[in-house]
Amino acid sequence: MNSNVKTLIASIALALAGTAAMAQPAPAASTPRIDQRQANQEKRIDQGVASGQLNRREAHRLEREQRAINRAENRAKADGVVTAGERRHLTKMQNRSSRDIHRQKHDAQHRPGAASAAKP
């Protein structure tokens, strides 16, 4: 093979490699703090149900709130980048949810028949 053919083949190979690299999907946006906080809040809800601090209605409402945060996070990640504004919005949602969990766990309502509800 002459050098022109080798150069042409090398150029085509490089062009194809560059095209393949551009076709790769954008890396998923990473939100480890948000994910960890979601896990912690879900554990708090589960613990409240187990201890009787949360009744069925309270737990359902708090879990629905967590699902809304998860949906908002998925929408924020959809384009591959979670902007500072999107992070602020998710943090606000999580702050509100955290307050709601605390309030519901520490109100006077308990699940009927729960051990903690029987305390004087």
Short mmCIF file of all heavy atoms in Angstrom, two decimals, residues 52 54-56 109-115 117:
data_model
loop_
_atom_site.label_atom_id
_atom_site.label_comp_id
_atom_site.label_asym_id
_atom_site.label_seq_id
_atom_site.Cartn_x
_atom_site.Cartn_y
_atom_site.Cartn_z
N GLY A 52 -44.74 3.13 65.68
CA GLY A 52 -46.09 3.57 65.93
C GLY A 52 -46.22 5.09 65.99
O GLY A 52 -47.31 5.61 66.22
N LEU A 54 -45.98 7.06 63.55
CA LEU A 54 -46.74 7.46 62.36
C LEU A 54 -47.89 6.50 62.14
O LEU A 54 -47.69 5.28 62.16
CB LEU A 54 -45.83 7.44 61.12
CG LEU A 54 -44.69 8.44 61.07
CD1 LEU A 54 -43.81 8.18 59.86
CD2 LEU A 54 -45.22 9.87 61.05
N ASN A 55 -49.08 7.05 61.92
CA ASN A 55 -50.18 6.18 61.56
C ASN A 55 -50.17 5.98 60.05
O ASN A 55 -49.34 6.56 59.33
CB ASN A 55 -51.53 6.72 62.08
CG ASN A 55 -51.91 8.05 61.49
OD1 ASN A 55 -51.66 8.31 60.30
ND2 ASN A 55 -52.53 8.90 62.30
N ARG A 56 -51.06 5.15 59.56
CA ARG A 56 -51.07 4.78 58.14
C ARG A 56 -51.24 6.01 57.23
O ARG A 56 -50.56 6.15 56.23
CB ARG A 56 -52.17 3.77 57.88
CG ARG A 56 -52.08 3.16 56.50
CD ARG A 56 -53.11 2.09 56.30
NE ARG A 56 -53.07 1.13 57.40
CZ ARG A 56 -54.09 0.38 57.77
NH1 ARG A 56 -55.23 0.44 57.14
NH2 ARG A 56 -53.97 -0.47 58.77
N GLN A 109 -50.66 11.92 67.52
CA GLN A 109 -51.30 10.80 66.85
C GLN A 109 -50.35 9.61 66.80
O GLN A 109 -49.17 9.76 66.51
CB GLN A 109 -51.68 11.19 65.42
CG GLN A 109 -52.68 12.31 65.35
CD GLN A 109 -52.91 12.75 63.91
OE1 GLN A 109 -52.40 12.16 62.98
NE2 GLN A 109 -53.69 13.80 63.76
N HIS A 110 -50.90 8.45 67.09
CA HIS A 110 -50.13 7.21 67.04
C HIS A 110 -50.94 6.15 66.36
O HIS A 110 -52.17 6.23 66.31
CB HIS A 110 -49.76 6.74 68.45
CG HIS A 110 -48.86 7.68 69.18
ND1 HIS A 110 -47.52 7.77 68.93
CD2 HIS A 110 -49.12 8.60 70.14
CE1 HIS A 110 -46.98 8.69 69.71
NE2 HIS A 110 -47.93 9.21 70.45
N ARG A 111 -50.25 5.16 65.85
CA ARG A 111 -50.95 4.04 65.23
C ARG A 111 -51.62 3.23 66.33
O ARG A 111 -50.99 2.92 67.34
CB ARG A 111 -49.95 3.17 64.46
CG ARG A 111 -50.64 2.13 63.59
CD ARG A 111 -49.65 1.29 62.82
NE ARG A 111 -49.01 0.36 63.74
CZ ARG A 111 -47.69 0.28 63.91
NH1 ARG A 111 -46.88 1.03 63.23
NH2 ARG A 111 -47.19 -0.58 64.77
N PRO A 112 -52.89 2.91 66.17
CA PRO A 112 -53.60 2.14 67.20
C PRO A 112 -52.90 0.81 67.47
O PRO A 112 -52.47 0.12 66.55
CB PRO A 112 -54.98 1.89 66.57
CG PRO A 112 -55.13 2.95 65.53
CD PRO A 112 -53.75 3.24 65.04
N GLY A 113 -52.75 0.50 68.74
CA GLY A 113 -52.15 -0.77 69.13
C GLY A 113 -50.64 -0.79 69.14
O GLY A 113 -50.03 -1.79 69.44
N ALA A 114 -50.00 0.33 68.80
CA ALA A 114 -48.54 0.37 68.78
C ALA A 114 -48.01 0.46 70.21
O ALA A 114 -48.65 1.03 71.09
CB ALA A 114 -48.05 1.56 67.96
N ALA A 115 -46.84 -0.09 70.44
CA ALA A 115 -46.25 -0.13 71.78
C ALA A 115 -46.04 1.27 72.34
O ALA A 115 -46.31 1.52 73.50
CB ALA A 115 -44.94 -0.89 71.74
N ALA A 117 -47.68 3.94 71.71
CA ALA A 117 -48.94 4.61 71.95
C ALA A 117 -49.50 4.21 73.32
O ALA A 117 -50.29 4.94 73.90
CB ALA A 117 -49.94 4.27 70.86
#
